[in-house]
Amino acid sequence: MIKSGFFERNLRYIFPLPALIFVLLLMVFPVGYTLFISFTDWTLTSGRPLKVVGLESYLTVLKEPRFLDALGRTFAFTFGAVVAESILGTTIALVLNREFRGKNALKFILLLPLVATPVAIGIVWNLFYDPTIGFLNYVLSVLGLPQSGWVTASATVLPSLVIVDIWQWTPMIALIVLAGLAGLSTEPYESAKVDGASSVQTLVHITLPLLAPTILTAIILRAIDALKTYDIIYAMTQGGPGYASETLNILAYKFSFEYFNLGQASAILVFLFFVVLLFSLGVMQLRKRFEQ
Amino acid sequence: MKRILVVLLIASLCLSVFAQGAAEAPAKPQEIRVLLANHPYGELLKAAIPEFEASTGIKVNVESLQESQLTQKLTTEFATNSSTVDVFMTRPLQEGLLFIKNGWYAPLDKYDFTDYPGASVDIGRKDGKAFIVPLVIEWQVLYYRKDLFAQAGLKVPTTLAELENAAKVLTKDGIAGFGSRGKGAAAVTQFSSYLYNFGGLYLDKNVAVFDTPAAIEALRYYGRMLGTYGPQGIVSMSWENLMPVFQAGKLAMWTDASVFLGQIVDPTKTQIPAANVGVTSLPAGPKGDSPFIVTSWGMGMSAKSQNADAAMKFLNWATSKELAIKGMLTNIPMARNSAWKDATVQKGMNPELIATQAHAAKNGYPLDRPFMSAVGQARDLIGEVIIEAINTKGTSTKLQALATEKVNAVNELLKKDGEYGGK
C-alpha cells in the first residue's frame, strides 16, 4: 500500500516524471539504440541476425570516400547558407526596423517561405531549375547569358541548393534579429546623437555589437538545422547527380533505406551527431566571449 | 480521500491503454491495407477499387508511392516487424530475393498460376513455393518522333550505328536527338539492353563481369550518345524527367521501358499528336539483339497479414484477367498470357507496341539489372561508371579502371550476402 503522505513528500519527483519518461522514451532511447546499432553489422540483405562487431562499422565508414566527401559537402553547404542568410537576414531586419507604409505586408510576405512545406518548395524550385524547360534558363537565354545546368550538373548543384536554403531561411534570421532590435535600449543612441555620430558609425559601433549575441543565437539555430538538412536536398536531387549533393544525412539515408546497411548508416549518424554537437559547443563558447 | 481519487484516476487512465485492443476486435467490417506504386497499373487499380469494395464489402485503404519509396517503406515496416500491410505491388527483380530471404511474402499456394509464363513465376519462387504474382511485363523500346524523322528523310534505325547517325542528324534547333536514363542507379536498367547488345552482362553465374571489353565498349557508346546528343542535365534524369521533355517536343528519340506509351500520348499532358509518336524495337548491337524483357511488377501478400482471406480476395481481383485486359487496352503490357490473346486487346492495342513485344519475347534477356539482394547498392556502384561515361562523352581514360573497381565492389557485396558464384 502507498504510505500516507507519499505523494506530498515526493511531489517534486512525481510532477516532472511524465516529462522525464517522455525524454527517455523519445529522445534518449533512439539515440542509445542508434549507438548500439552502430556497433553491429546489421544488414537486411544478408538475412542473418545482427552481430556486435565493435568499431568495425566506423572503420569501414571512415575508409569510404563518399563519407569524407559528404562531410566536406555538409560543411560547405552549411557555411555558404548560414553566412549568406545572416548577412541578408540582418540587413532585412535593419531595413524593417523603422516605420514605413506597407511594413506589415512586407513582414507577412517574408514569412511565406518559412511556412511552405519543404517538399513543395523542392518541386517548385526544380521546375525553375530544369535546364531544358525551366524558367531560370529561359531568363538567362533572354538576357543573352550562357545557360546553367543548375541542380543537374555536379559543379552547380551545391550552390543551387544553397540558394534554395537561403530563400527559405533568411526570413527566420531576419525575424530573430528584428526581435533583438526591438529589445535594444534607446539610451546609447541618444548619447551617440548628442555626440554627433553618423548613421554608419551608429550601426557599426552601437547596433551591431549590441546585436551580436542575438545574431549568434540565430546563427547557431540555423547552422544546427543546416548541418542536418535533408528534406530539400532529397526532394530536389536525392544527393545527385552521382553523389554531387550527398551530405551526411543523405548518405546515412541511402545506407539505411536503399542499401539496408543499418550498422554503417548508424555509424554515419553518430558522426553527424558529434559534428553538430562540437559545432554548437564551439559557437556557444564564442557567444560567451561576445557577451563578456 | 483525495489521494485515493488520484490513484484511481491514474489507474483508470492506464487501463484504457490496454482496453483499446480488446474493444476494437469484434464485428468490424473487414479492412485491408494495400500499397500500390505510382505506375499506370497502380493508377488503374486505384480507380477500380470502389467497385471491389462495393461487391465484397471489404474496405481497402490504399497508399500510392513512387517505386523506390515503396521498397523503402515495405522494407522498413517488415524489418521492424511493425507492418500492417496486407497486399502490395512489388518489383520481383529489385526486392524479390531480399523479401523471400527474410520471409516477408506469404506463400501463394492457393493462387492459380496457369495463365502466366513459367519463367515469370519462377523469378519469385523458392523451394517450390511461389511468392509473387507477375503483374506487368516490360521490355525496352525506342520511342521516336515520326514527323522529325520524315522531315530529316531518315528511316527508323535498326542498328545502334544507325541510331547514332539519326541522333546526330536530329540534334538541332534546341531539340536533343537522343535520350535515355542517365541518372546513375536509375540508368542501370535502361543501359542493360545496350550492354547485352554489345555482348556484355552485369552478372555471369552470380559473378560481376561488367568490366569486360564488350561491357566497356557498351559503356563508351552509351556515354557518347547521351553526352553528345542527350538533353542538358541528362546525368540527373530518370524516366520522370525525360518524359516531360519528350512531351514538350524537345527530344527526338528516347529509349526506355515499353510501359510509358500510354502516358506519352496522353493528350492532356503532351504537345505531340499521338500520330507523330512511333515506337519500335531497340536497335540491334554489334554482338546481339537482346532487349531486356522482365516482369517489372508483381503483387505479393504480407506473411504477417492479419486479414489473409480478405487479402487473398483482393489479390485475386487485382490480378484478374478482366483487369489485365483493361490494362492492356490502356497500353500496359500485362504478364497474363490470356490477356494477349484477347480479341478486343489485339484490336485495341497499338500494333507497333505488339510488334516490339513479339521481338523482345523471342530474343530478349529476362533481367535488366544485377539480380542480387544488395541490388540497391550495386546499382549505385554501376551508376557511377555510367555517369563517368556520360560526363566524358565516352572518352574517359579511367573508365576501365573504374569499372573493374566497381566489379570488385559488387563481388564483395555478393560474397557478404552469401550469393557469390555458383548456379
Side-chain angles (χ1 to χ4, degrees):
Chain A
M1 272 310 287
I2 296 165
K3 280 186 198 155
S4 103
F6 177 84
F7 277 103
E8 277 80 358
R9 274 187 287 111
N10 294 298
L11 270 184
R12 59 186 158 151
Y13 301 116
I14 290 168
F15 278 168
L17 204 60
L20 187 71
I21 293 174
F22 176 82
V23 168
L24 281 178
L25 230 55
L26 284 146
M27 292 161 126
V28 177
F29 175 73
V31 173
Y33 193 59
T34 307
L35 202 63
F36 165 69
I37 296 176
S38 73
F39 293 121
T40 71
D41 69 342
W42 194 16
T43 59
L44 300 179
T45 53
S46 67
R48 282 190 301 266
L50 61 89
K51 194 168 81 220
V52 175
V53 291
L55 290 171
E56 202 183 289
S57 297
Y58 288 89
L59 296 176
T60 319
V61 164
L62 278 176
K63 272 188 275 175
E64 169 72 58
R66 279 167 76 183
F67 171 75
L68 292 177
D69 289 349
L71 186 67
R73 231 172 262 129
T74 308
F75 277 115
F77 177 84
T78 306
F79 183 79
V82 174
V83 167
E85 282 159 17
S86 353
I87 294 174
L88 281 171
T90 310
T91 314
I92 292 174
L94 290 170
V95 170
L96 283 181
N97 192 36
R98 63 188 71 188
E99 288 310 315
F100 57 89
R101 192 194 277 261
K103 180 181 163 180
N104 280 334
L106 199 64
K107 264 165 115 177
F108 176 73
I109 292 172
L110 260 182
L111 265 177
L112 290 182
L114 273 182
V115 295
T117 48
V119 174
I121 292 175
I123 291 170
V124 171
W125 275 91
N126 259 355
L127 286 177
F128 283 158
Y129 276 148
D130 190 289
T132 313
I133 50 181
F135 176 69
L136 289 179
N137 266 0
Y138 173 73
V139 172
L140 287 181
S141 71
V142 168
L143 296 175
L145 293 169
Q147 305 208 335
S148 168
W150 302 109
V151 285
T152 63
S154 312
T156 49
V157 62
L158 214 54
S160 304
L161 289 170
V162 167
I163 289 175
V164 180
D165 197 79
I166 293 172
W167 176 83
Q168 192 187 7
W169 292 109
T170 299
M172 189 190 90
I173 302 234
L175 290 177
I176 295 177
V177 176
L178 201 58
L181 278 170
L184 293 186
S185 77
T186 51
E187 282 159 25
Y189 291 94
E190 281 157 11
S191 51
K193 213 172 183 180
V194 172
D195 293 344
S198 72
S199 56
V200 174
Q201 282 171 323
T202 318
L203 175 70
V204 174
H205 295 292
I206 299 176
T207 311
L208 287 182
L210 283 176
L211 269 183
T214 312
I215 298 177
L216 269 178
T217 309
I219 290 179
I220 295 180
L221 287 175
R222 196 49 223 124
I224 290 175
D225 229 25
L227 285 168
K228 300 187 298 182
T229 304
Y230 168 78
D231 37 23
I232 284 190
I233 302 179
Y234 193 78
M236 292 186 67
T237 66
Q238 296 99 48
Y243 308 134
S245 58
E246 205 168 65
T247 57
L248 280 185
N249 231 350
I250 299 279
L251 185 68
Y253 177 85
K254 285 199 177 163
F255 267 75
S256 45
F257 296 112
E258 284 177 17
Y259 305 165
F260 307 118
N261 192 333
L262 302 172
Q264 288 173 23
S266 304
I268 296 170
L269 286 174
V270 172
F271 272 118
L272 178 62
F273 178 73
F274 280 107
V275 165
V276 176
L277 195 69
L278 288 177
F279 173 82
S280 319
L281 289 177
V283 182
M284 251 130 84
Q285 284 296 325
L286 200 68
R287 202 191 140 180
K288 264 192 203 142
R289 274 182 40 197
F290 260 100
E291 278 175 343
Q292 283 159 10
Chain B
M1 187 61 205
K2 226 196 285 175
R3 269 202 306 277
I4 296 172
L5 273 179
V6 170
V7 173
L8 279 179
L9 184 68
I10 292 174
S12 64
L13 282 173
C14 292
L15 274 178
S16 66
V17 172
F18 303 103
Q20 202 154 26
E24 271 186 10
K28 249 179 57 175
Q30 278 187 303
E31 210 172 294
I32 54 171
R33 179 163 169 239
V34 174
L35 293 194
L36 300 176
N38 283 341
H39 176 280
Y41 194 73
E43 302 298 318
L44 185 141
L45 277 183
K46 213 160 69 177
I49 278 175
E51 292 167 30
F52 173 79
E53 289 182 321
S55 68
T56 59
I58 298 169
K59 166 123 182 51
V60 183
N61 297 314
V62 189
E63 291 158 57
S64 290
L65 292 145
Q66 193 262 339
E67 58 197 40
S68 55
Q69 270 131 33
L70 179 62
T71 302
Q72 286 157 22
K73 189 166 183 100
L74 289 169
T75 310
T76 330
E77 285 197 17
F78 288 142
T80 52
N81 237 331
S82 65
S83 182
T84 54
V85 177
D86 295 296
V87 184
F88 50 94
M89 276 175 80
T90 179
R91 291 181 289 170
L93 298 181
Q94 184 74 16
E95 61 218 10
L97 274 182
L98 176 68
F99 283 23
I100 291 175
K101 202 172 182 175
N102 285 302
W104 293 338
Y105 292 120
L108 301 172
D109 302 329
K110 288 187 200 132
Y111 193 87
D112 176 12
F113 283 102
T114 49
D115 195 19
Y116 294 93
S120 68
V121 183
D122 287 345
I123 287 271
R125 203 190 281 279
K126 199 188 175 189
D127 302 333
K129 278 188 187 334
F131 295 92
I132 307 172
V133 181
L135 208 53
V136 181
I137 55 170
E138 61 186 42
W139 58 96
Q140 199 168 19
V141 296
L142 167 65
Y143 301 107
Y144 65 99
R145 288 275 302 280
K146 287 179 173 170
D147 52 333
L148 297 180
F149 267 74
Q151 275 166 31
L154 283 168
K155 68 177 187 50
V156 179
T158 55
T159 66
L160 290 180
E162 288 173 17
L163 183 75
E164 186 165 2
N165 180 52
K168 194 190 277 176
V169 174
L170 293 167
T171 303
K172 58 176 181 190
D173 307 331
I175 293 177
F178 173 77
S180 188
R181 297 184 203 177
K183 184 176 172 180
V188 168
T189 52
Q190 305 311 310
F191 170 68
S192 70
S193 305
Y194 291 85
L195 184 64
Y196 308 149
N197 285 359
F198 273 93
L201 282 174
Y202 285 130
L203 302 184
D204 190 12
K205 301 187 177 68
N206 293 323
V207 177
V209 291
F210 54 89
D211 65 341
T212 56
I216 298 296
E217 211 189 324
L219 279 161
R220 291 199 189 284
Y221 176 85
Y222 198 73
R224 186 167 73 239
M225 286 290 283
L226 289 180
T228 319
Y229 311 114
Q232 223 187 328
I234 186 71
V235 288
S236 302
M237 295 175 101
S238 182
W239 65 266
E240 62 265 38
N241 316 92
L242 282 157
M243 186 173 322
V245 178
F246 191 87
Q247 288 170 330
K250 303 264 186 195
L251 186 58
M253 296 189 287
W254 173 28
T255 61
D256 211 301
S258 50
V259 71
F260 298 118
L261 183 62
Q263 278 169 282
I264 292 174
V265 299
D266 179 347
T268 59
K269 290 179 185 148
T270 185
Q271 299 173 17
I272 313 295
N276 287 345
V277 178
V279 52
T280 186
S281 292
L282 190 84
K287 296 274 174 57
D289 183 14
S290 308
F292 73 73
I293 176 162
V294 298
T295 306
S296 55
W297 285 99
M299 200 164 246
M301 224 171 93
S302 164
K304 294 268 162 64
S305 173
Q306 299 294 312
N307 314 293
D309 286 345
M312 196 64 204
K313 262 186 211 159
F314 182 85
L315 184 74
N316 276 320
W317 170 80
T319 59
S320 65
K321 187 182 165 190
E322 291 69 35
L323 281 174
I325 288 171
K326 225 171 158 180
M328 294 288 280
L329 290 174
T330 52
N331 285 322
I332 305 171
M334 304 297 296
R336 271 189 184 271
N337 287 328
S338 59
W340 286 88
K341 296 192 187 100
D342 185 84
T344 48
V345 166
Q346 292 201 328
K347 233 178 17 211
M349 212 172 164
N350 184 314
E352 289 177 359
L353 193 64
I354 293 183
T356 62
Q357 194 269 344
H359 171 259
K362 193 159 142 254
N363 302 321
Y365 190 76
L367 296 174
D368 63 355
R369 68 197 74 189
F371 190 48
M372 56 196 282
S373 291
V375 58
Q377 194 162 3
R379 285 178 75 161
D380 265 353
L381 291 164
I382 299 168
E384 285 183 56
V385 190
I386 295 177
I387 287 180
E388 168 72 13
I390 297 172
N391 280 339
T392 58
K393 301 185 176 166
T395 61
S396 173
T397 49
K398 54 175 194 182
L399 199 62
Q400 176 72 60
L402 188 68
T404 303
E405 183 193 320
K406 301 307 169 191
V407 158
N408 293 335
V410 171
N411 281 332
E412 281 308 311
L413 290 175
L414 284 164
K415 284 175 193 162
K416 215 173 68 186
D417 293 340
E419 294 170 3
Y420 180 79
K423 282 189 280 181

